[in-house]
Amino acid sequence: MFKRFLANQWFRSTVSAGCLLTGWLLAAPLSVHAETNFIPPEMDYGVETVSLESSVTEFEDETVPESFTVPNDPLDSPFPVPWQWLIETQQEFSSKGTVGQRYYRSQALLSPDGKYAAYTRISMIATPELHESQATSVMFLENLQTGELQVIRPNSPLAKHLHDGENQENEPGIMSILMPVSWSSNGDRLLSRQMEGFFSTSDVTDYAVIWERDTNQTTTVTPTPKPQDHETAILLGWNDNNSSEVLFKSGMLGDEDWPVVAVTPQGNTLLAKDADSVTYGQLVTRSWTGSQILQ
């Protein structure tokens, strides 16, 4: 879905260049053929403010129309990113004509055995113009017995680009957000949703990020699209029929019926008939511990 331009630059799809928010384009509910037995509640967030970096006197008004209801998630995901918070933050700095930074701290997802907790810190760099704002994240995995803290890093295109790049400021409009979704039934694997794309475009999709406790290895997978197709994927959870696979809803924007597919840890994509998604773990509000500056 994402293409690389020369000199380490990314360019965005022109499918919906006139749209102000990805969520507007994708707000209409899509047919879901799988069910999940766990829907995360609204997540808590912090309101830490970083001092303003610059002031802009002239800017394009990209505020949300009053008559429009902001969706909970740009992909109508059962595991939403804090989309309303992102938009409210954008509106705040857009109305001021300034640039600033805010942080959102998610709830922790505890493993079934109570030994691990996974949680996310999202950074929003808001500018007066939405297509120049950025939303990135760091997801922490904490060993509750030893206090050891590590960062889970996806290998999806934009996340890898940001990690390998030296200057994030050269990536305006980027969204790269990793959120914990589910543990396995015995807590030996963690499934997370990596949503990435660009503000003000239809260029957005999900990846599944799987962390293995025994090997401490992380795998990133997504449905394999047909040649020359630009499909969007929405993560649904583990496959209840095969615990090693993850389920996605995958299709083209504008199509009404999206099939549910199962993706193996090796990246193979299979049509999932009569499949249900399942998730495990408990969401709790925790005081953050350990270092929060790991990158």
Side-chain angles (χ1 to χ4, degrees):
M1 173 170 286
F2 306 111
K3 298 180 180 180
R4 194 88 179 255
F5 190 63
L6 297 177
N8 248 3
Q9 296 298 311
W10 293 82
F11 67 88
R12 290 167 278 186
S13 167
T14 58
V15 173
S16 60
C19 295
L20 298 184
L21 296 171
T22 307
W24 294 13
L25 180 67
L26 306 177
L30 299 171
S31 299
V32 179
H33 300 274
E35 298 180 354
T36 178
N37 66 354
F38 170 71
I39 302 296
E42 293 295 326
M43 293 187 173
D44 298 332
Y45 60 87
V47 292
E48 180 178 353
T49 303
V50 176
S51 58
L52 302 182
E53 300 172 358
S54 64
S55 178
V56 180
T57 56
E58 295 183 1
F59 58 90
E60 181 181 356
D61 185 6
E62 298 191 40
T63 57
V64 180
E66 294 182 0
S67 60
F68 183 79
T69 301
V70 177
N72 289 330
D73 185 271
L75 291 178
D76 196 26
S77 168
F79 315 104
V81 299
W83 190 247
Q84 293 189 14
W85 174 82
L86 290 170
I87 294 177
E88 289 172 359
T89 302
Q90 169 66 34
Q91 285 183 285
E92 176 186 347
F93 287 97
S94 179
S95 65
K96 295 177 181 178
T98 58
V99 176
Q101 188 171 16
R102 290 282 173 87
Y103 291 98
Y104 178 108
R105 301 177 179 183
S106 78
Q107 290 175 296
L109 181 65
L110 297 185
S111 60
D113 57 12
K115 295 181 179 179
Y116 284 84
Y119 41 89
T120 295
R121 182 189 67 193
I122 297 174
S123 171
M124 173 72 170
I125 300 178
T127 72
E129 297 187 10
L130 178 64
H131 66 270
E132 294 183 352
S133 298
Q134 298 176 354
T136 58
S137 69
V138 179
M139 196 177 86
F140 297 89
L141 180 65
E142 181 180 354
N143 185 322
L144 300 179
Q145 295 178 317
T146 66
E148 180 183 1
L149 201 66
Q150 69 181 87
V151 170
I152 302 297
R153 292 189 176 95
N155 198 36
S156 51
L158 294 186
K160 188 176 186 300
H161 176 71
L162 287 174
H163 180 64
D164 294 342
E166 296 181 356
N167 194 348
Q168 182 177 324
E169 295 179 358
N170 292 330
E171 309 299 343
I174 201 168
M175 296 186 294
S176 179
I177 300 175
L178 183 64
M179 303 281 288
V181 166
S182 173
W183 291 91
S184 57
S185 59
N186 62 359
D188 66 343
R189 289 173 297 146
L190 173 65
L191 174 65
S192 302
R193 177 197 182 197
Q194 168 69 6
M195 188 204 77
E196 58 183 39
F198 292 93
F199 286 115
S200 299
T201 77
S202 61
D203 218 353
V204 60
T205 194
D206 279 353
Y207 294 80
V209 180
I210 305 169
W211 175 76
E212 300 274 352
R213 179 188 296 187
D214 293 339
T215 62
N216 196 27
Q217 298 295 315
T218 301
T219 304
T220 303
V221 298
T222 196
T224 303
K226 298 177 182 179
Q228 298 182 347
D229 278 355
H230 298 278
E231 295 188 351
T232 297
I234 303 174
L235 179 64
L236 300 177
W238 298 113
N239 185 355
D240 195 24
N241 296 331
N242 188 330
S243 60
S244 66
E245 300 173 348
V246 290
L247 295 180
F248 286 87
K249 187 171 53 173
S250 180
M252 299 287 292
L253 295 178
D255 292 347
E256 294 184 359
D257 296 323
W258 287 21
V260 173
V261 297
V263 182
T264 69
Q266 294 75 33
N268 299 322
T269 303
L270 310 168
L271 186 63
K273 296 182 179 179
D274 301 321
D276 288 333
S277 60
V278 61
T279 57
Y280 304 93
Q282 179 184 5
L283 279 173
V284 298
T285 301
R286 289 176 51 84
S287 297
W288 282 48
T289 59
S291 173
Q292 296 181 38
I293 60 173
L294 296 174
Q295 299 291 339

